Amino acid sequence: MSPSILGVDGLSVRYGDARAVDRVSFTLEKGRCLAVLGANGAGKSSLAAAIAGVVPPASGRVTFDGDDVTGWRSHRLARRGMAYVPEGRGLFPHLEVLDNLRVMLRGAVAPSERPAALDRCFELFPVLGERRRQAAGTLSGGEQQMLALARVLAAPPRLLVADEMSLGLAPRMVDTVFDVVRRARAQGVTVLLVEQYVERALALADDVIVMRRGEIAWQGPAAGAREQLVTGYLGGAAGQ
């Protein structure tokens, strides 16, 4: 068994009096992909945001590669090798594609390595090279998601936390996005994947957590879990 890169112990997230995540615990081993599934409002995105340092946990503990990083902010975690692609993509819409990439790389890559990292961005997504002088806010939804992924995969992280990568994308763009994550996995990147498309997530993941009302309702290996997950916990609504 590989050593765990991420440990979540009793993690809770609150927004005022509302508890979005309630005492969730799990570990994620290096090199594996964990899919976090569940209906809308189950707490999936709040869990990802708390792990990635975007929202503070109300209680519990997060460890990253053996270190307690509970409450660390996202920029500090990024420097340690945890990359976060949020549901809203987190782009600077008025900046050009090239400047968006430069801003992200500034905090994650040494100056001498940035030209090579930019080249990797455009190798991963050639269309971004063609749009490098275009404002990010004028890109299509699929191109914006490519830019969000390129920013974090240019310098491959140790852990990628991806929240609803496929949200609002055409099927062809969904294929492209998942293919890039597959390639990142082949390079040794560990992935925590929050995803609405159950079938695609199961095809990519090694392990699965299903959340319901802020809690873990089921967890186990992705292989052979499809029918139990969909029928028992997602009401039969599996995206393709």
Side-chain angles (χ1 to χ4, degrees):
M1 180 179 293
S2 301
S4 63
I5 191 170
L6 177 69
V8 176
D9 184 16
L11 192 68
S12 296
V13 177
R14 288 183 179 273
Y15 301 108
D17 293 332
R19 188 186 291 269
V21 178
D22 190 13
R23 294 169 293 184
V24 166
S25 300
F26 64 88
T27 59
L28 175 56
E29 296 172 19
K30 291 181 180 179
R32 294 179 72 81
C33 176
L34 173 67
V36 181
L37 307 176
N40 290 338
K44 308 183 303 295
S45 292
S46 293
L47 174 64
I51 291 169
V54 177
V55 299
S59 60
R61 184 168 177 255
V62 177
T63 58
F64 180 47
D65 210 12
D67 295 326
D68 189 336
V69 296
T70 310
W72 283 28
R73 299 296 297 272
S74 56
H75 65 275
R76 189 179 177 191
L77 289 169
R79 288 196 293 266
R80 290 291 302 274
M82 183 190 298
Y84 176 54
V85 179
E87 180 180 340
R89 301 184 180 122
L91 305 178
F92 298 97
H94 300 298
L95 292 182
E96 295 177 349
V97 166
L98 185 59
D99 289 334
N100 265 273
L101 293 171
R102 284 171 172 164
V103 168
M104 181 63 185
L105 294 176
R106 189 180 302 151
V109 180
S112 62
E113 298 174 2
R114 289 173 195 165
L118 281 172
D119 288 343
R120 282 194 294 273
C121 289
F122 299 138
E123 180 181 346
L124 282 170
F125 299 107
V127 69
L128 296 180
E130 300 169 9
R131 307 275 197 273
R132 68 180 67 198
R133 292 300 179 185
Q134 186 171 328
T138 65
L139 299 174
S140 70
E143 290 166 348
Q144 289 185 22
Q145 190 62 280
M146 289 179 188
L147 178 55
L149 277 170
R151 293 190 313 164
V152 300
L153 295 178
R158 288 188 288 162
L159 172 64
L160 171 63
V161 180
D163 185 6
E164 300 285 16
M165 296 184 305
S166 61
L167 189 66
L169 299 185
R172 182 174 61 84
M173 288 298 180
V174 174
D175 290 340
T176 299
V177 165
F178 270 85
D179 182 60
V180 168
V181 176
R182 252 183 229 101
R183 288 160 61 186
R185 284 205 64 199
Q187 295 175 357
V189 177
T190 305
V191 179
L192 175 69
L193 177 68
V194 175
E195 183 51 50
Q196 62 177 333
Y197 286 105
V198 172
E199 295 293 339
R200 290 181 183 271
L202 291 177
L204 185 65
D206 300 298
D207 306 291
V208 171
I209 285 174
V210 178
M211 293 189 66
R212 185 168 55 189
R213 298 176 183 173
E215 300 179 345
I216 293 179
W218 186 92
Q219 59 183 315
R226 182 176 289 102
E227 185 173 350
Q228 181 174 359
L229 287 167
V230 175
T231 303
Y233 298 102
L234 300 177
Q240 299 301 315

